[in-house]
Amino acid sequence: MPPVKREFRPSPKATTSPPSPPAEAITETDLAALELADQLHSAAIHLLRRLRVRDRESGVGPAQLSALSVLVFGAPKSLGELADAEQVRPPTMSRIVAGLQRSGFVRRFATEDGRRIRLEATPKGVSLMWEARERRVNSLATAVAGLPEPARQQLHQAVRQLQQVIRDL
């Protein structure tokens, strides 16, 4: 992927945050890190979009699959916790969960004290998510298998470094 040539400017929202350092204070290392971060951001988005195409085979929409994945690969959650995890408002999540319940992918259960409702994936929901994950991973594995061995080793090392970057965010 060719490097992206952009001038980095603060977004309109950023005007309330501390001012950016003057252009002459930004080092070449900072610019290189910004350029690499921009390329990584773009690559991550494109990778997810390409793999998400395989999710259409599940017959479930992306918002429902995303919410279900939080419950399957995470843990049971309240509606509010699930809304927070998916960065949507509770009424939106309520509609998403209602669809998942109608399809038999999620069930509601009361907590021990009976004051709160928790959501958990049903066996049918767990199965759906593992099948979707398998399709995405197989698609990615096919692409990786086409790389020469030295490139695969570089990619393996890059994934380790990326995991460290993610932990540091």
Side-chain angles (χ1 to χ4, degrees):
M1 184 177 293
V4 175
K5 300 291 183 195
R6 290 196 185 131
E7 182 179 334
F8 289 92
R9 296 181 188 156
S11 68
K13 286 184 178 180
T15 56
T16 58
S17 60
S20 299
E24 60 274 0
I26 298 175
T27 66
E28 284 190 37
T29 302
D30 295 334
L31 287 174
L34 279 171
E35 217 173 282
L36 179 58
D38 187 54
Q39 290 172 13
L40 181 58
H41 178 264
S42 180
I45 288 171
H46 287 281
L47 175 64
L48 290 175
R49 282 183 185 149
R50 295 269 175 102
L51 292 175
R52 195 172 51 206
V53 169
R54 298 301 313 268
D55 288 341
R56 292 181 191 150
E57 296 170 36
S58 71
V60 178
Q64 287 184 339
L65 280 177
S66 185
L68 184 58
S69 74
V70 171
L71 298 174
V72 169
F73 300 116
K77 298 201 177 311
S78 70
L79 185 72
E81 291 168 335
L82 188 55
D84 286 346
E86 289 295 286
Q87 300 176 346
V88 299
R89 297 177 52 107
T92 301
M93 186 51 63
S94 185
R95 287 188 296 276
I96 291 169
V97 167
L100 288 169
Q101 278 188 277
R102 279 191 303 275
S103 299
F105 299 129
V106 167
R107 76 171 188 94
R108 294 176 188 255
F109 66 96
T111 57
E112 289 179 13
D113 64 11
R115 295 184 302 173
R116 292 184 59 167
I117 298 295
R118 305 290 283 172
L119 302 165
E120 75 175 354
T122 63
K124 181 179 176 183
V126 170
S127 177
L128 176 83
M129 285 310 307
W130 278 104
E131 289 167 7
R133 179 185 175 115
E134 184 177 9
R135 281 191 299 271
R136 289 188 304 272
V137 169
N138 285 339
S139 290
L140 191 52
T142 298
V144 169
L147 296 173
E149 186 56 34
R152 282 195 232 178
Q153 290 174 2
Q154 287 178 325
L155 187 56
H156 183 72
Q157 183 59 34
V159 168
R160 284 188 190 158
Q161 292 170 346
L162 180 57
Q163 289 167 335
Q164 181 60 52
V165 167
I166 291 167
R167 284 190 293 273
D168 292 345
L169 288 177

